[in-house]
Amino acid sequence: MVSPVNTSFAPRGRAFSAAAALGLVLALTSCTGDDDGTGIVVTTNILGDVTREIVDDEAEITVLMKPGADPHSFGISAREAAILENADLVVHNGLGLEEGIARNVAAAEEAGVPTLEVAAEVDPLPYTSDADEGSPDPHFWTDPVRMLTAVDLITEHVVAEVDGVDAEAVRAGAESYAAEIEELDGWMSDEFGSLPAESRRLVTDHHVFGYLADRYDFEVIGAVVPGGTTLASPSSADLKDLSDAVAEAGVSAVFSDSSQPDRLVTVMAEEAGVDIEVIPLHSESLSAEGEGAATYLEMMRANTEAITDGLRGG
């Protein structure tokens, strides 16, 4: 095992930089072995939770995105990048979601690491309005039925690509978890079905619920940020157009992701000139343990209750 560098007494300059870089490489090699990968690396915490439910302790799983982070903008350390590029399998959402680490995933692919771009394989829907109209929407997980497809994809890639896993155990874990997702879908259908059709209208901070709308017969009125990424910015005209649409539709609630400031949502609601509640959701990231959305199933139930209560005026 390589001893860590004592930075208190190390010389400065290029010689030390080279030594530090070499130390990192050797440390990673000594931990993983020349022929062993670093297990399964998952980019987003939503897919990380799903993968852990399927795989359990059959393989090491590293999840790069921290609880409460924004999937569009989070980054990773040099050590995490090295783990990713030496993985047995990389599971990523794809379709442009993880903008901050897209180059790291591409580097892993170029290095020959097997990768699974989940969103591209679950019959993705196109955005239907605003700046991203026509391009594929990466936010598939708001539809549990598509998540069932994701479970199958992850399962088969793990069995095929990760040495040493018990295929029967992994498939049994996937089957058990799929039953929980099917139960979730039935419950969500019942909850949303209790809303009258005229109340099933969504306004969000950015376009994130297209799949939920398609699955459960909602109308998406619009989004404060006119696109599918939190990194875009609305113009004054965008806010005015949306506030007019909201006033005309008579919606009672606007939904904002908990990881994003709701200032723009609040401004839009005020411009609409109607009484609108701004309701936070855990739409793109799981929360920390104990904060209401620590797992995919918990997040989906919490969001369903928040949406239903908000649109009902409760």
Side-chain angles (χ1 to χ4, degrees):
M1 188 63 151
V2 176
S3 300
V5 175
N6 186 339
T7 56
S8 299
F9 299 96
R12 298 182 183 275
R14 292 184 180 178
F16 172 62
S17 297
L22 178 60
L24 175 60
V25 172
L26 290 174
L28 285 170
T29 302
S30 66
C31 290
T32 61
D34 291 339
D35 299 320
D36 296 333
T38 52
I40 304 167
V41 176
V42 190
T43 56
T44 71
N45 53 41
I46 293 173
L47 287 177
D49 174 64
V50 172
T51 302
R52 282 175 172 148
E53 289 289 341
I54 296 167
V55 177
D56 196 19
D57 59 358
E58 287 297 316
E60 185 73 23
I61 298 173
T62 300
V63 179
L64 299 177
M65 180 179 158
K66 305 301 186 290
D70 182 344
H72 299 280
S73 61
F74 82 99
I76 57 177
S77 67
R79 182 179 182 277
E80 289 170 323
I83 291 172
L84 189 154
E85 291 181 27
N86 288 279
D88 295 300
L89 172 67
V90 172
V91 177
H92 63 119
N93 192 94
L95 295 185
L97 183 78
E98 306 99 318
E99 297 170 71
I101 64 164
R103 62 183 179 84
N104 301 106
V105 174
E109 290 176 334
E110 291 171 5
V113 176
T115 62
L116 168 61
E117 184 181 13
V118 179
E121 303 295 332
V122 295
D123 188 22
L125 295 173
Y127 287 112
T128 57
S129 63
D130 294 335
D132 293 323
E133 183 173 2
S135 61
D137 182 347
H139 304 91
F140 76 91
W141 61 86
T142 64
D143 175 3
V145 173
R146 280 182 167 83
M147 186 57 90
L148 286 172
T149 302
V151 168
D152 290 340
L153 288 166
I154 294 168
T155 301
E156 294 312 310
H157 276 73
V158 168
V159 169
E161 304 291 355
V162 183
D163 291 340
V165 300
D166 183 330
E168 289 187 6
V170 171
R171 291 194 173 108
E175 183 178 356
S176 176
Y177 188 56
E180 294 187 72
I181 296 177
E182 289 171 351
E183 181 182 351
L184 169 72
D185 176 53
W187 175 81
M188 290 176 66
S189 295
D190 291 343
E191 290 294 302
F192 291 141
S194 68
L195 291 171
E198 62 270 18
S199 295
R200 295 189 205 177
R201 294 172 172 176
L202 291 173
V203 179
T204 55
D205 58 341
H206 72 291
H207 286 293
V208 69
F209 284 114
Y211 289 90
L212 182 144
D214 181 73
R215 174 66 183 157
Y216 301 109
D217 297 322
F218 279 79
E219 178 186 0
V220 177
I221 299 298
V224 177
V225 176
T229 174
T230 57
L231 304 184
S233 299
S235 66
S236 298
D238 292 328
L239 288 174
K240 180 65 167 62
D241 289 345
L242 182 57
S243 66
D244 290 346
V246 166
E248 182 178 350
V251 299
S252 58
V254 177
F255 301 96
S256 176
D257 190 271
S258 60
S259 69
Q260 296 298 316
D262 63 2
R263 180 182 60 82
L264 288 174
V265 179
T266 302
V267 169
M268 184 281 302
E270 290 173 350
E271 288 197 7
V274 293
D275 184 18
I276 299 175
E277 184 179 7
V278 179
I279 299 174
L281 301 176
H282 294 279
S283 57
E284 291 195 300
S285 177
L286 302 183
S287 70
E289 194 71 36
E291 294 181 2
T295 69
Y296 171 69
L297 297 177
E298 187 177 34
M299 178 189 77
M300 293 295 286
R301 289 183 179 275
N303 287 344
T304 298
E305 290 173 348
I307 292 170
T308 303
D309 288 348
L311 296 181
R312 190 181 285 126

